[in-house]
Amino acid sequence: MFEMLLMTSLILIAVSILGTFYRVFKGPSTPDRVIALDTIGVNIIGLVAILSVMLNTQAFLEVILLIGILSFIGTISFSKFLERGEVIERNRNR
Amino acid sequence: MNVIEIAKIVVGILLVIGSLLSLLSTYGLLRLPDIYNRSHAATKAATLGIMSILVGAFIFFYFVDGLISAKLLLGIVFVFITAPVGGHLIARAAYRTQVPLWEKTIKDDLKRDDLKRDKRMTKKLKKAAENQ
């Protein structure tokens, strides 16, 4: 019963990641693709959590934090690049 | 039926609810018409789903292995804070780079506020020129 529920949620979240890839490839504008990539990062966090429950190990819990931080930094730098045209601004006298 | 069995059933239901919410957010991401609507689906529903999954994993590790995982708590707080911030930043970048709104959009408050601010600034500049 428990294994069946775990397998069901794993399959559902994999289908959701696959559906999000359509928006990454198709998306009419660049922010569409960025937001789809952010959603993929958030979904991968859930995938790793389900996998660590399934295998009953705490070895993957650092991966959750790492993917969360990397996905957030990626989203922020993409939005800054889209808005200003550069990621790290050197000219601060504005 | 002991505590571990009940906890396992609760964890399984939480995980299935979370993955269903995640699937719902993907459906919204595929079906909604423009980027501003899609950002609602992508950031809010997916955040709730992932938080449900992480709470399920926390309950599992607490009742089965008997440990309180600070890493999972930190992950819950981090996802809860950062996902809406990222969605807001991307939506702002999309508006500033003139990504078009849906053609059936009837209200654009940001444009109205920009017009109001422009009018105020021109009035202020004119007053400064008169004083000089």
Side-chain angles (χ1 to χ4, degrees):
Chain A
M1 181 68 191
F2 185 58
E3 282 75 20
M4 204 190 74
L5 284 179
L6 282 184
M7 211 60 205
T8 310
S9 60
L10 208 59
I11 289 171
L12 284 180
I13 223 160
V15 167
S16 122
I17 290 178
L18 276 183
T20 315
F21 264 113
Y22 175 78
R23 188 51 76 193
V24 175
F25 292 133
K26 179 85 187 315
S29 63
T30 315
D32 276 315
R33 292 163 212 248
V34 178
I35 226 165
L37 282 175
D38 189 45
T39 311
I40 285 178
V42 169
N43 279 339
I44 285 175
I45 293 176
L47 200 73
V48 173
I50 294 173
L51 209 61
S52 75
V53 168
M54 192 180 238
L55 300 177
N56 196 0
T57 169
Q58 285 106 42
F60 295 150
L61 296 187
E62 286 97 349
V63 180
I64 291 176
L65 283 176
L66 252 173
I67 294 176
I69 292 168
L70 282 183
S71 147
F72 180 57
I73 290 176
T75 308
I76 281 188
S77 52
F78 259 120
S79 80
K80 201 152 187 188
F81 175 70
L82 286 176
E83 223 175 296
R84 304 261 175 86
E86 55 186 340
V87 178
I88 300 169
E89 294 177 35
R90 293 191 173 75
N91 183 15
R92 293 187 180 173
N93 297 325
R94 296 197 200 190
Chain B
M1 212 166 167
N2 54 356
V3 180
I4 291 180
E5 296 290 318
I6 298 173
K8 273 187 176 179
I9 289 176
V10 170
V11 167
I13 290 172
L14 270 176
L15 292 190
V16 170
I17 286 175
S19 50
L20 276 178
L21 277 170
S22 184
L23 196 67
L24 189 69
S25 102
T26 298
Y27 183 68
L29 198 65
L30 292 182
R31 290 284 298 172
L32 286 173
D34 68 348
I35 167 78
Y36 309 103
N37 291 327
R38 274 179 219 136
S39 82
H40 280 278
T43 55
K44 292 170 181 70
T47 307
L48 188 62
I50 296 310
M51 277 179 62
S52 164
I53 288 177
L54 290 180
V55 166
F58 182 77
I59 292 174
F60 179 81
F61 285 127
Y62 181 65
F63 279 104
V64 175
D65 292 350
L67 87 162
I68 297 176
S69 169
K71 275 173 271 179
L72 270 179
L73 283 181
L74 210 58
I76 291 171
V77 172
F78 197 79
V79 169
F80 185 63
I81 291 175
T82 58
V85 173
H88 170 78
L89 282 176
I90 282 295
R92 196 181 65 169
Y95 193 86
R96 295 242 174 110
T97 51
Q98 278 99 32
V99 174
L101 274 70
W102 190 28
E103 71 263 20
K104 287 185 187 170
T105 306
I106 56 170
K107 196 166 181 181
D108 191 355
D109 280 347
L110 209 51
K111 194 174 174 185
R112 184 200 64 194
D113 289 350
D114 281 351
L115 284 180
K116 225 182 248 176
R117 198 181 56 211
D118 283 351
K119 213 176 275 178
R120 212 164 49 219
M121 287 304 284
T122 51
K123 203 181 276 181
K124 201 180 274 180
L125 283 179
K126 208 181 282 177
K127 204 179 235 176
E130 280 175 5
N131 283 341
Q132 269 183 359

